[in-house]
Amino acid sequence: MVRALILGATGYTGMELIRILFAHPEARVVGGTSRNWAGKTAAEVFPFIPGEQDFALVSLEEQLRDPDADMAFLALPHGESASAVRPLLEAGLKVVDLSADSRLSDPQVYAKWYGPHKDPEILGRAVYGLPEIHREAIRKADLVANPGCYPTSVILAAGPLMDCGYVDSACPIVDSKSGISGAGRGAKPTTSFCEAGEGFKPYGVVGHRHIPEMEQELSYLAGREIKVRFTPHLIPVSRGMVSTVYMPLIAQVAGDDLRDLYMERYRSEPFIRVLPRGTYPDTVQVRGSNQCHVSVEVDERTGWVVAISAIDNLTKGASGLAVQNMNVMMGLEETAGLQGLPLCP
Amino acid sequence: MVRALILGATGYTGMELIRILFAHPEARVVGGTSRNWAGKTAAEVFPFIPGEQDFALVSLEEQLRDPDADMAFLALPHGESASAVRPLLEAGLKVVDLSADSRLSDPQVYAKWYGPHKDPEILGRAVYGLPEIHREAIRKADLVANPGCYPTSVILAAGPLMDCGYVDSACPIVDSKSGISGAGRGAKPTTSFCEAGEGFKPYGVVGHRHIPEMEQELSYLAGREIKVRFTPHLIPVSRGMVSTVYMPLIAQVAGDDLRDLYMERYRSEPFIRVLPRGTYPDTVQVRGSNQCHVSVEVDERTGWVVAISAIDNLTKGASGLAVQNMNVMMGLEETAGLQGLPLCP
Amino acid sequence: MVRALILGATGYTGMELIRILFAHPEARVVGGTSRNWAGKTAAEVFPFIPGEQDFALVSLEEQLRDPDADMAFLALPHGESASAVRPLLEAGLKVVDLSADSRLSDPQVYAKWYGPHKDPEILGRAVYGLPEIHREAIRKADLVANPGCYPTSVILAAGPLMDCGYVDSACPIVDSKSGISGAGRGAKPTTSFCEAGEGFKPYGVVGHRHIPEMEQELSYLAGREIKVRFTPHLIPVSRGMVSTVYMPLIAQVAGDDLRDLYMERYRSEPFIRVLPRGTYPDTVQVRGSNQCHVSVEVDERTGWVVAISAIDNLTKGASGLAVQNMNVMMGLEETAGLQGLPLCP
Amino acid sequence: MVRALILGATGYTGMELIRILFAHPEARVVGGTSRNWAGKTAAEVFPFIPGEQDFALVSLEEQLRDPDADMAFLALPHGESASAVRPLLEAGLKVVDLSADSRLSDPQVYAKWYGPHKDPEILGRAVYGLPEIHREAIRKADLVANPGCYPTSVILAAGPLMDCGYVDSACPIVDSKSGISGAGRGAKPTTSFCEAGEGFKPYGVVGHRHIPEMEQELSYLAGREIKVRFTPHLIPVSRGMVSTVYMPLIAQVAGDDLRDLYMERYRSEPFIRVLPRGTYPDTVQVRGSNQCHVSVEVDERTGWVVAISAIDNLTKGASGLAVQNMNVMMGLEETAGLQGLPLCP
């Protein structure tokens, strides 16, 4: 039984970790931190947590002083994670960092997009936690950088095309749409029901911080430097993310053949479903599950390929993927605790 | 006082015409048709209609037999409109056709996307009803083809770029998102609350029927043949549409200069607002109004321009634009009845 | 032309006042206050406001120093309004106070529910602003207390029954449901999209502060002291409020006869529609309008009467009613600027 | 391993049974029926179903001819279930009937509310499937009538009060609110996104068919005949139900004491949580789980008690409860497959 800590247990990704780990046959949450609720127990904050699985919430400082567990999930704000990684590793825990602090392998790229890193050494030590690409490295890692939700959705949608020879993958046009929970639990006017509900809008149209991650991983897959033209939008749903990716055709290929290429690539991936032609990914069909649905189409009339994915941004886009990474790191069944079907409707 | 008929008064665009015309200082609805409710009055179907402005609902056949009015709005399904246009014109009414039946000037293009037209002559007679492009022709027209909601949002977003010299406009990548009301009032599982709510998905990824309209008008603006790579998606809002349009840069230009170009182009357009840099169109800020909000950004890092618009698909995307067209055709103030602010929140 | 000030112009009721007054034929907003945006203009904050109707936002203190206008709307937090009333009246303005500060005529009742009043004299001077009850007094008033949204919906639903003789009106059971905008614009976790959306919950189950208002006015109508058993709930809609009111039958009466009683009572009320038997009030059918829809049913099997109303909590429940009060106070047509149909869908 | 059939597998309660049973350690779906999709497999209809747990969909007639399984869930429309019960029982299956066809023990009461029953004998044979009341009888039953969602929420909210001596339980006032999925999967205008979203309305204000069930069970608990004054409303959420129940005090009691009474009554119930004073049930905190949250408050000022519950209408209100019944009938752990935490947010 893996004894797990959740650092940042009362934000949305922390809450989702609680939900998933409570159904996990081989893991158990033994402690957590919360800025607002330290001193309470999880069940005092969330009435739906049953007493027999309750755990104490303490401050981050207290937790780091003596972290008695096998695994720590860092569901902390960017910047705070960086300082927590080292004490946890030194105490012998394995770490999945859900923040952006460990994701970019190149400290200079990190500095360009986020400013100077507090502990740049960990950038070299972390493995990028997308098992669909880096499964073997994750297996041996003690520090895994859990991908951002946008990068996961984009890499899974576009990955099979990067070196397929049919498209020019140098600069994918990526139009992504995220549920509101992606903005976190802190109350802001832009995520209030009255202003986000019945709304739909782009934001960060130029220069969103998830871009360097996408470029790092897509370049890895393509074997050459890739740039990404990325636009995020907010959808009025709690959970869900769709990425629509456009790349120009450079060789003739039939839609069925591209779909076969995806089927082949994802044949043994337990969480990815390549949809039948003419069926498209829908957030409500992945809600609350760790599944990623993907489609690909060729538009011969204009000469472009369109690849589309849907995930739940809190599950496959964050906490479900984090547990998947834990499973791989700990030598457990990769799907343990993650096989739940989506809540649809 | 313009006496107007609404053919198809109990669908969503018909209902929106009722709402707008009831607040119009120079027009009044004098009759309407309804397949399901013929024999009732509008106030019997919609309890919010005040008795003093009530009108009878009759069958389409009955209405066409003796259409005593100045203006007819055709809010009918595609295909049904085509047969109604001629009797109305012959009875001396001016006509705004909200269906697709009059929008494509080339009968061969029409046939390719929709099949053979029932009365192809009207294709030549109709003026494409986007006053921001064809105001003078609309002024003299007796038949105006009201644009589709997607084309309006795309043409207003991308129009100023088509011949600007800074971008290659040959094949805009258009990623559009529409509120559920765009699918019409007929009950379908895909537009049910439980399956559309908390959902977000693309549909018609290749070959949506609004493409030829976009191509017709963008080609007109560009002065050369344009193809459009178009993907529609459904947003879980009743009303609202955002189009995000991508075109590659071919000459250096600053973001502020492109915005100035939009400001200049739309300077005297009463319904278009070019947003300040860094602010982006949001459906909730146009809901229920005839406004169109647009933004444009240059992404120098990747060499692409992004143009974005938001409209209410039932107002500027359908019935509000139809009333704007009526105003122009009838020599009324173009903004009459259309100045209402959006319902925000 | 009435020149109006909006004190608190950037909260939800302030924004709704802007929307309504911009379509008003006899009034014009000439200034407003905002804690967060003082120094900007309204159009800088809200891009949908057209330049020709823009106005300056200043601090409350600055506005009160020299309020040059005919009418002031106080859309301020409870407590702040109390201090603003007197300087405005002394400067010769008429005042509609949308806060709770002027609503309770008895200072002791006020003190019991809200604590000591800052300027208790105004409690005696204010007229309770529900024209359906106090039209004549409002006509002569210079200070009108705009009712709370819950009280308006409850009084309009239950009012005709209070002295009808068929029910025991001593303690109505009131189960009310409000859209999220009723909680105001300040960001709180409980009104965030992710926690309010897909949620529905009661709050303030015992002792909500709108109770004394309901009791004051229902007692007035009944001619004896009434207590109200009131439970508010939050609905995941931006706008809308439904109140379901239960009172025990004490004499036999047919459903049709009770409906006739409502029809008779509301015959000349321009904003109230008594729905046909078997049809019930729905928030989406009043959204954005000043209408109130009401139904009444008799349940002979159990011996209870059920009265139901629906309003838009921001319009008839706040800012629309405030403009209706202005119209009455200023001798304008009572419906001026308020005849817009609901945004449905 | 219990081999289960789902008759009516592609409606909302059928889909929810699939979701729950797929995570059940001791049960497995071996077949299902579907009017629209007979001839396909479940995974062809729902892309999120993994191949290894796929099953065939056949017609009801075909399934009934040779039902090879241990247990059948009837997720069929009312009326259709009645004819399916007997062949299944005769083939040796145990049956949980989610329709209304088996719920009323008195055939005359059934006939009064639903018309003549097709097979009235089964009314006497069925056990009402609320384990919180009838656990022992369910253990021995071969036919269990799964309660309606409204009755479950009302009985769990009000049950502990029925014979407590503090309230007059003769005629509870029940104000209930249900998510849209309660109306089923068939497309109707009233459940379309555009008309149900941003809407809230009562329906069936007098004489809803769930009343006799509530009265049957509350009378059983009270030990005398109870009538229920019941009003259902539709909330714009997919899933979720809140019932607010009012009963007059007849003896003095403190709020804490009533809460203790609930705590005592529900002490060993695995799915019911009595919330702390001042905290109230919220649909988003039970979404997708089998939990029921309850609160109770005393309003001394008016002399009424308010009891409130929240459930997910598809889970504890239908399919989760059905699996709980299966667990009891089959001698499994009652919580097997049902311990998942809610999807919150």
Side-chain angles (χ1 to χ4, degrees):
Chain A
M1 185 67 67
V2 175
R3 294 171 312 130
L5 299 179
I6 302 174
L7 280 59
T10 56
Y12 288 150
T13 53
M15 291 165 73
E16 181 73 347
L17 282 165
I18 294 175
R19 184 181 76 88
I20 294 169
L21 290 169
F22 270 39
H24 196 292
E26 311 273 357
R28 185 178 162 85
V29 181
V30 297
T33 75
S34 171
R35 214 174 336 186
N36 293 324
W37 306 97
K40 302 222 173 223
T41 73
E44 285 172 330
V45 180
F46 303 117
F48 45 76
I49 294 184
E52 63 273 21
Q53 296 215 34
D54 200 5
F55 59 90
L57 296 169
V58 301
S59 72
L60 181 58
E61 297 63 36
E62 188 179 337
Q63 191 66 270
L64 289 180
R65 230 172 286 140
D66 178 21
D68 179 21
D70 307 308
M71 162 70 61
F73 294 97
L74 306 186
L76 297 169
H78 305 313
E80 279 185 34
S81 267
S83 326
V85 167
R86 194 176 292 265
L88 292 163
L89 291 176
E90 286 174 357
L93 283 77
K94 298 199 175 188
V95 174
V96 176
D97 181 0
L98 285 84
S99 86
D101 291 357
S102 309
R103 291 181 197 153
L104 298 176
S105 55
D106 182 337
Q108 287 186 301
V109 174
Y110 184 94
K112 186 181 154 204
W113 291 83
Y114 290 93
H117 196 283
K118 290 182 185 166
D119 187 356
E121 236 176 77
I122 68 172
L123 293 179
R125 184 164 178 181
V127 172
Y128 192 79
L130 204 54
E132 289 81 358
I133 301 181
H134 300 292
R135 186 168 280 117
E136 286 318 305
I138 296 167
R139 213 181 291 286
K140 299 172 206 143
D142 57 4
L143 172 61
V144 164
N146 213 58
C149 45
Y150 286 122
T152 294
S153 78
V154 170
I155 296 164
L156 293 178
L161 296 174
M162 297 314 291
D163 66 347
C164 73
Y166 298 114
V167 304
D168 176 358
S169 59
C171 183
I173 306 295
V174 177
D175 194 284
S176 292
K177 301 88 178 174
S178 171
I180 311 288
S181 61
R185 198 178 185 198
K188 312 175 216 13
T190 51
T191 60
S192 74
F193 184 87
C194 294
E195 291 173 59
E198 291 283 302
F200 180 88
K201 55 173 173 283
Y203 67 100
V205 171
V206 176
H208 188 281
R209 284 174 165 186
H210 279 180
I211 292 171
E213 260 184 79
M214 296 181 204
E215 293 183 347
Q216 169 180 295
E217 297 302 313
L218 293 178
S219 297
Y220 171 84
L221 290 172
R224 63 173 175 142
E225 200 196 331
I226 301 296
K227 281 193 192 293
V228 171
R229 172 51 239 154
F230 175 66
T231 316
H233 304 72
L234 273 188
I235 325 171
V237 300
S238 295
R239 294 162 168 257
M241 174 169 284
V242 164
S243 286
T244 314
V245 184
Y246 303 89
M247 284 184 272
L249 273 172
I250 55 175
Q252 237 185 335
V253 62
D256 284 341
D257 291 337
L258 272 196
R259 182 173 181 263
D260 286 348
L261 186 152
Y262 273 68
M263 293 288 279
E264 180 54 30
R265 172 68 188 80
Y266 289 135
R267 175 194 304 279
S268 45
E269 288 302 337
F271 297 114
I272 304 187
R273 306 224 178 294
V274 182
L275 299 184
R277 296 290 306 283
T279 307
Y280 301 110
D282 184 350
T283 58
V284 82
Q285 299 216 340
V286 296
R287 179 164 61 155
S289 90
N290 203 48
Q291 294 187 11
C292 173
H293 290 189
V294 298
S295 289
V296 64
E297 292 283 358
V298 175
D299 180 13
E300 286 168 22
R301 209 181 60 88
T302 60
W304 286 81
V305 166
V306 187
I308 307 159
S309 68
I311 58 173
D312 181 322
N313 58 296
L314 287 183
T315 316
K316 183 64 177 171
S319 305
L321 178 54
V323 172
Q324 187 180 353
N325 279 318
M326 176 192 83
N327 288 344
V328 175
M329 294 165 86
M330 290 298 187
L332 306 174
E333 190 69 36
E334 188 168 336
T335 57
L338 295 168
Q339 292 180 298
L341 294 188
L343 199 72
C344 170
Chain B
M1 184 67 65
V2 175
R3 294 171 312 130
L5 298 179
I6 302 175
L7 280 59
T10 57
Y12 288 150
T13 52
M15 291 164 74
E16 180 72 348
L17 282 165
I18 294 175
R19 185 180 76 90
I20 295 169
L21 290 169
F22 270 40
H24 196 292
E26 311 274 356
R28 184 179 163 84
V29 181
V30 295
T33 76
S34 171
R35 216 177 334 187
N36 294 323
W37 306 97
K40 303 222 172 222
T41 73
E44 285 171 332
V45 179
F46 303 117
F48 44 78
I49 294 183
E52 63 273 21
Q53 295 215 36
D54 201 3
F55 59 88
L57 295 169
V58 299
S59 72
L60 181 58
E61 296 66 35
E62 188 178 337
Q63 191 66 271
L64 289 180
R65 229 172 287 140
D66 179 22
D68 179 22
D70 306 310
M71 161 71 59
F73 293 97
L74 305 187
L76 298 169
H78 305 314
E80 279 186 36
S81 266
S83 325
V85 167
R86 194 177 292 263
L88 291 163
L89 291 175
E90 286 174 357
L93 283 78
K94 298 198 174 188
V95 175
V96 175
D97 181 0
L98 285 83
S99 86
D101 291 357
S102 310
R103 290 180 197 154
L104 299 176
S105 55
D106 182 337
Q108 287 186 302
V109 174
Y110 184 94
K112 186 180 152 202
W113 292 82
Y114 289 94
H117 197 284
K118 289 182 187 168
D119 187 355
E121 235 177 76
I122 68 172
L123 293 180
R125 185 161 176 182
V127 171
Y128 193 79
L130 204 54
E132 287 81 359
I133 302 181
H134 300 292
R135 186 168 280 117
E136 285 318 305
I138 295 167
R139 213 182 291 285
K140 298 171 206 144
D142 55 6
L143 172 60
V144 164
N146 213 59
C149 46
Y150 285 121
T152 294
S153 78
V154 171
I155 296 164
L156 294 178
L161 295 175
M162 297 313 292
D163 67 347
C164 72
Y166 298 114
V167 304
D168 176 357
S169 60
C171 183
I173 306 294
V174 177
D175 195 283
S176 292
K177 301 88 178 175
S178 172
I180 312 287
S181 61
R185 200 179 182 195
K188 310 176 220 7
T190 50
T191 59
S192 75
F193 184 87
C194 294
E195 292 172 61
E198 291 284 301
F200 181 87
K201 54 173 173 281
Y203 67 101
V205 171
V206 176
H208 188 281
R209 282 173 166 186
H210 279 180
I211 292 172
E213 260 184 76
M214 296 180 203
E215 293 185 347
Q216 168 180 293
E217 297 302 313
L218 293 178
S219 297
Y220 171 85
L221 290 173
R224 63 173 177 142
E225 201 196 328
I226 302 296
K227 281 194 192 296
V228 171
R229 172 50 240 157
F230 175 65
T231 315
H233 303 71
L234 273 188
I235 325 170
V237 300
S238 294
R239 295 161 168 257
M241 175 169 284
V242 165
S243 287
T244 315
V245 184
Y246 303 89
M247 284 185 271
L249 272 172
I250 53 175
Q252 235 185 338
V253 63
D256 283 343
D257 291 336
L258 273 197
R259 182 173 181 263
D260 286 349
L261 185 153
Y262 273 69
M263 292 288 279
E264 179 57 30
R265 171 66 187 79
Y266 289 134
R267 176 195 302 279
S268 45
E269 288 301 337
F271 297 114
I272 303 186
R273 306 228 178 291
V274 182
L275 300 184
R277 296 290 306 283
T279 307
Y280 302 110
D282 185 350
T283 58
V284 83
Q285 299 215 342
V286 296
R287 179 165 62 154
S289 90
N290 203 48
Q291 294 187 13
C292 173
H293 292 188
V294 298
S295 287
V296 65
E297 290 285 359
V298 174
D299 180 13
E300 285 168 24
R301 210 181 60 87
T302 60
W304 286 80
V305 167
V306 187
I308 306 160
S309 67
I311 59 172
D312 181 323
N313 58 296
L314 287 183
T315 316
K316 184 63 177 173
S319 306
L321 178 54
V323 171
Q324 187 180 353
N325 279 318
M326 176 191 84
N327 288 343
V328 176
M329 293 165 86
M330 290 298 188
L332 305 174
E333 190 67 39
E334 187 167 335
T335 57
L338 294 168
Q339 291 179 300
L341 294 188
L343 199 71
C344 171
Chain C
M1 185 66 66
V2 175
R3 294 170 312 131
L5 299 179
I6 302 174
L7 279 59
T10 57
Y12 288 151
T13 53
M15 290 165 74
E16 181 72 348
L17 281 165
I18 294 175
R19 184 180 75 89
I20 295 169
L21 290 169
F22 271 38
H24 196 292
E26 312 273 356
R28 185 179 162 84
V29 181
V30 296
T33 75
S34 170
R35 216 176 335 186
N36 293 325
W37 306 96
K40 303 223 171 220
T41 73
E44 284 171 332
V45 180
F46 303 117
F48 44 78
I49 294 184
E52 63 271 23
Q53 296 215 35
D54 201 5
F55 60 88
L57 295 168
V58 300
S59 71
L60 180 58
E61 296 65 37
E62 188 178 338
Q63 190 67 270
L64 289 180
R65 228 171 288 139
D66 178 23
D68 179 22
D70 306 308
M71 162 70 62
F73 293 97
L74 304 187
L76 297 169
H78 305 313
E80 279 187 34
S81 267
S83 326
V85 167
R86 193 176 293 264
L88 291 163
L89 291 176
E90 285 174 357
L93 284 76
K94 298 197 175 190
V95 174
V96 175
D97 180 359
L98 286 83
S99 85
D101 291 357
S102 310
R103 291 180 196 155
L104 298 176
S105 53
D106 181 338
Q108 287 185 300
V109 175
Y110 184 94
K112 186 183 152 200
W113 291 82
Y114 289 94
H117 196 284
K118 290 183 184 166
D119 187 356
E121 236 177 76
I122 68 172
L123 292 180
R125 183 164 178 182
V127 171
Y128 193 77
L130 204 54
E132 288 82 0
I133 301 181
H134 300 292
R135 187 169 280 119
E136 286 318 304
I138 296 167
R139 213 182 291 287
K140 298 171 207 144
D142 56 5
L143 172 61
V144 163
N146 214 57
C149 45
Y150 285 122
T152 294
S153 78
V154 170
I155 297 164
L156 294 178
L161 296 175
M162 297 315 290
D163 66 347
C164 73
Y166 299 113
V167 305
D168 176 0
S169 59
C171 183
I173 306 295
V174 177
D175 195 283
S176 292
K177 302 88 179 175
S178 171
I180 312 288
S181 61
R185 199 178 184 196
K188 312 176 217 10
T190 50
T191 59
S192 74
F193 184 87
C194 294
E195 291 172 61
E198 292 283 301
F200 180 87
K201 55 173 173 281
Y203 67 100
V205 170
V206 176
H208 189 281
R209 283 175 166 185
H210 278 179
I211 292 171
E213 260 184 77
M214 297 181 204
E215 294 184 345
Q216 169 180 294
E217 297 302 312
L218 292 178
S219 298
Y220 172 85
L221 291 173
R224 60 172 178 143
E225 200 196 330
I226 301 295
K227 282 195 191 293
V228 172
R229 173 48 240 156
F230 174 65
T231 316
H233 303 73
L234 273 189
I235 326 169
V237 301
S238 295
R239 293 161 168 257
M241 174 168 286
V242 164
S243 287
T244 315
V245 184
Y246 303 90
M247 284 184 272
L249 272 173
I250 53 173
Q252 235 186 338
V253 62
D256 283 342
D257 291 337
L258 273 196
R259 180 171 184 263
D260 286 349
L261 185 153
Y262 273 68
M263 292 288 280
E264 179 56 29
R265 170 67 186 80
Y266 290 135
R267 178 194 303 281
S268 44
E269 287 303 336
F271 297 115
I272 304 187
R273 306 228 177 291
V274 182
L275 299 185
R277 295 290 306 283
T279 306
Y280 301 110
D282 184 349
T283 58
V284 82
Q285 298 215 342
V286 296
R287 179 164 61 155
S289 90
N290 203 48
Q291 296 186 10
C292 173
H293 291 188
V294 298
S295 288
V296 66
E297 292 284 359
V298 174
D299 180 12
E300 285 168 23
R301 209 180 61 87
T302 59
W304 286 81
V305 166
V306 188
I308 307 159
S309 68
I311 59 173
D312 181 322
N313 58 295
L314 288 184
T315 317
K316 183 64 176 171
S319 305
L321 177 54
V323 172
Q324 186 180 353
N325 279 318
M326 175 192 84
N327 289 343
V328 175
M329 294 164 86
M330 290 297 188
L332 305 174
E333 190 69 39
E334 188 168 334
T335 58
L338 294 169
Q339 292 180 297
L341 294 188
L343 200 70
C344 171
Chain D
M1 184 68 66
V2 176
R3 293 170 312 130
L5 299 178
I6 302 173
L7 278 60
T10 56
Y12 288 151
T13 54
M15 291 166 72
E16 180 72 348
L17 281 165
I18 294 175
R19 184 179 77 89
I20 294 169
L21 290 170
F22 270 39
H24 196 292
E26 311 274 355
R28 183 179 163 86
V29 181
V30 296
T33 75
S34 171
R35 215 174 338 186
N36 294 324
W37 306 96
K40 303 222 173 221
T41 73
E44 284 172 332
V45 180
F46 302 117
F48 44 76
I49 294 184
E52 64 274 19
Q53 295 215 36
D54 201 4
F55 60 89
L57 296 169
V58 300
S59 72
L60 180 57
E61 295 68 33
E62 187 178 338
Q63 192 65 272
L64 289 181
R65 231 173 285 140
D66 178 23
D68 180 22
D70 306 309
M71 163 69 62
F73 293 97
L74 305 187
L76 298 170
H78 304 314
E80 279 186 35
S81 266
S83 326
V85 167
R86 193 177 291 264
L88 291 163
L89 291 176
E90 286 174 357
L93 283 77
K94 297 199 174 188
V95 174
V96 175
D97 181 0
L98 285 83
S99 85
D101 291 357
S102 310
R103 290 180 197 154
L104 298 177
S105 54
D106 181 338
Q108 287 185 301
V109 174
Y110 184 94
K112 186 181 152 201
W113 291 82
Y114 289 94
H117 196 283
K118 289 182 186 167
D119 186 356
E121 237 176 75
I122 67 173
L123 292 180
R125 185 163 177 180
V127 171
Y128 193 78
L130 204 55
E132 288 81 0
I133 302 181
H134 300 293
R135 186 168 282 117
E136 286 317 305
I138 295 167
R139 212 181 292 286
K140 299 170 206 146
D142 55 5
L143 172 61
V144 164
N146 213 58
C149 46
Y150 286 121
T152 293
S153 78
V154 170
I155 297 164
L156 294 177
L161 295 175
M162 296 315 291
D163 66 348
C164 71
Y166 299 113
V167 305
D168 175 358
S169 60
C171 183
I173 306 295
V174 176
D175 195 284
S176 293
K177 303 87 178 174
S178 171
I180 312 287
S181 61
R185 200 178 183 197
K188 310 176 216 16
T190 50
T191 58
S192 74
F193 184 87
C194 294
E195 292 173 58
E198 292 283 301
F200 180 86
K201 55 172 172 282
Y203 67 101
V205 170
V206 175
H208 188 281
R209 283 175 164 184
H210 279 180
I211 292 172
E213 260 183 78
M214 297 181 203
E215 294 185 346
Q216 168 180 294
E217 298 302 313
L218 293 178
S219 297
Y220 171 85
L221 291 172
R224 61 171 178 145
E225 201 196 329
I226 301 295
K227 282 192 190 297
V228 172
R229 173 51 239 156
F230 175 65
T231 315
H233 304 71
L234 273 188
I235 325 169
V237 301
S238 294
R239 295 161 167 257
M241 174 168 286
V242 165
S243 287
T244 315
V245 184
Y246 303 89
M247 284 184 272
L249 272 172
I250 54 175
Q252 234 185 338
V253 64
D256 284 342
D257 292 337
L258 272 196
R259 183 174 180 261
D260 286 348
L261 185 153
Y262 273 69
M263 292 288 280
E264 179 56 30
R265 171 65 188 82
Y266 289 134
R267 175 195 302 279
S268 45
E269 288 303 335
F271 298 114
I272 304 188
R273 305 227 178 293
V274 182
L275 300 184
R277 297 290 306 284
T279 307
Y280 301 111
D282 184 349
T283 60
V284 83
Q285 298 215 342
V286 295
R287 180 164 62 156
S289 90
N290 203 48
Q291 295 187 11
C292 173
H293 292 187
V294 297
S295 288
V296 65
E297 292 284 358
V298 175
D299 180 13
E300 285 167 23
R301 212 181 58 89
T302 60
W304 286 80
V305 166
V306 188
I308 308 160
S309 68
I311 59 172
D312 182 321
N313 59 296
L314 287 183
T315 315
K316 185 63 176 172
S319 305
L321 178 54
V323 172
Q324 187 180 353
N325 279 318
M326 176 192 82
N327 289 343
V328 176
M329 294 164 86
M330 290 297 188
L332 305 174
E333 190 68 40
E334 187 168 335
T335 57
L338 294 169
Q339 291 179 299
L341 294 189
L343 199 73
C344 170

